[in-house]
Amino acid sequence: MERVEVLKTYKIYIGGKFPRTESGRYYTPTNAKGDALGNICLCSRKDVRNSVVAARKAQGGWAGRAAFNRGQVMYRIAEMLEGRKAQFIEELIFQGATKIKAEQEVNTAIDRLIYYAGWCDKYTQVLGSVNPVASSHFNFSVHEPTGVVGIIADESTSLIGLVSMIAPVIAGGNTCVVIASESLPLSAITFAEVLGTSDVPGGVINILTGASEEMAKPLSTHMDVNALAYSGNDEAVLKELQEYAVMNLKRVRSYTKDWMNSDSQDLYMISDYQEVKTTWHPIENIGGANSTY
Amino acid sequence: MNNNKGLEIPDFSQSPIVDKVGVEERVERFQKRSIKNESKMQGLRMALSMIDLTTLEGKDTPGKVRQMCYKAQHLHDIHPNLPTVAAVCVYPSMVKIAKQEVKGSGVKVASVSTAFPSGQAPMKVKITDTKFAVDQGADEIDMVISRGRFLTGDYNFVFDEIASIKDICGNARLKVILETGELVTLDNVRRASDIAMYAGADFIKTSTGKIQPAATMQVTYTMLEAIRDYMNTTGRQVGMKPAGGISNSKLALHNLVMVNETLGSKWLTNEWFRFGASSLANDVLMQIMKAETGVYQSSDYFAID
């Protein structure tokens, strides 16, 4: 008798676990040929709420880790991704990419993680500063994570857009709630499985699938979300996000980058989700001629 | 004043046996009630008004108690017409301060006593402890039972202890903490509830909050059934206070549903039902604000308690 292939259930990723959406709903996106990609969770505002709770809970611990250790964890994500490359390529092809493009996308995603993993214990040195002041103070500015970041990932790519947005956010000690591409959701969930096996504490990254239009509002109005990241060029959506964000003065950042391009990654993607803390430390005039230091 | 004088005392070793699986299934059904919009808001406000805001730490200071008392009366001033909580619950040494702080607000002051939380002290000490709290002005006394004695089967000792504390409470209402986490079985919970009520308790309360598990719905349900049976036999109404572990609104609403369906609406006031909790208040407030504004809330914008 011929063996019946076991199909994978694509679930969402909240607090390190893989639940189904609390709403019990699903949708069935198709590729260009009309094949169903799968029954994908159509998440609701309550999934957004649960994700934000998980992200908030994880934030202190993640930010409190040694920067070096955050780098190690991110490097581990890249390692895991490398090991499951074939699966990602297969899924990307199924979702409509050519073999060459699919391979390129996965490789770029891995490299991007490595890039930001390297920045983890270096960005504060580069971005921070010792400031000249007129009084007898040692004055320095350091960067600290904003907190919980809501990410609306690129709609036109399945993997690279998502990874390119998540990596700089978590490198800087933030946690995030990500709305994956609605039409190309498979790689987002498989990426969540990578995260589940790569030492990332539960709740640091939460990934939801479904209608971005439906989830954008509860996410962008949520008082416990500190910043929003939007990838796309829909001015109307951006305007709406900015209006919703006003209530608790969330920072809104938007990108229209080609994420496959190597100059779409930079240090300022990290500083976009950082707050600058300046400390005035009373001290003798260290720069002066009579300093005892 | 002991309102049980002249009552026939049953043999507590014959207290009803509790069907654990049955209780679990019944409790599961309370959690499936759909409570929407207006009823939910009503329930949330009711839950707020039933909270005993509690601080029972070795590190409590007068400042901390004052802050909590302020919170008890000003839950979230942005929102007008919110109820106050029912009471603040403190150690005997803090009763006087709490009493001053809540003066005129209708918020009651409850004091734990009888060598809370372990209850491992001689009777003389427990009486002095309780007398002190009452003299300081406590409106309610939360006593603990001697779980060790109970578990060795010395039910008479436990009964007499509760009765003698009740005698010196005067006008203060007596809540008897069973510390169900240490009683192990639901049969024991039922038996301890019966002992407490026949000995004169005005309220029975699940836990001190120091032992896990605390107020599980199974335990609370068992105690509610005991209250119902006691009411049917004696005609006297006894209050219920689950304490510890009820940290979110959903759980609070489930508890209210359970009370309503087990005892009836007569118990749905803060005179007969209380939540012993500290983090519950903010969660309920956040739910209320969510319902009003349509926006999910952050604890950053609510006072710590």
Side-chain angles (χ1 to χ4, degrees), chain A residues 12-154:
Chain A
I12 52 177
Y13 188 56
I14 300 176
K17 295 197 170 68
F18 290 91
R20 290 182 171 84
T21 165
E22 70 73 49
S23 68
R25 305 174 306 174
Y26 66 96
Y27 70 111
T28 314
T30 53
N31 63 15
K33 283 187 234 153
D35 304 327
L37 297 180
N39 288 334
I40 308 295
C41 289
L42 183 59
C43 291
S44 67
R45 62 183 172 86
K46 290 190 180 172
D47 295 306
V48 172
R49 174 196 65 188
N50 295 346
S51 304
V52 174
V53 170
R56 172 59 61 198
K57 211 168 147 196
Q59 207 270 318
W62 181 242
R65 285 195 178 214
F68 179 65
N69 183 238
R70 281 207 306 273
Q72 286 175 311
V73 172
M74 288 189 70
Y75 198 93
R76 181 79 181 155
I77 305 174
E79 284 176 17
M80 292 290 113
L81 194 51
E82 185 82 52
R84 292 176 67 165
K85 218 161 139 179
Q87 186 188 359
F88 277 92
I89 291 171
E90 197 185 312
E91 271 179 1
L92 286 172
I93 292 172
F94 183 45
Q95 290 178 102
T98 62
K99 187 162 189 293
I100 296 172
K101 279 268 164 64
E103 251 178 51
Q104 269 175 358
E105 184 168 344
V106 179
N107 286 338
T108 312
I110 296 167
D111 294 349
R112 188 132 308 156
L113 284 162
I114 301 286
Y115 173 82
Y116 284 110
W119 270 122
C120 282
D121 59 349
K122 298 173 192 74
Y123 73 90
T124 42
Q125 294 93 310
V126 177
L127 294 171
S129 59
V130 175
N131 314 313
V133 287
S135 58
S136 290
H137 289 89
F138 177 41
N139 184 295
F140 54 97
S141 301
V142 289
H143 284 63
E144 290 185 342
T146 299
V148 173
V149 180
I151 298 176
I152 299 171
D154 180 27

Side-chain angles (χ1 to χ4, degrees), chain B residues 267-298:
Chain B
W267 266 263
L268 289 181
T269 78
N270 64 12
E271 203 189 338
W272 299 108
F273 190 76
R274 295 282 179 83
F275 291 109
S278 41
S279 51
L280 175 62
N282 270 1
D283 194 72
V284 175
L285 289 170
M286 278 162 69
Q287 292 298 322
I288 291 177
M289 289 308 282
K290 156 73 177 63
E292 302 260 308
T293 60
V295 167
Y296 287 120
Q297 300 293 308
S298 162

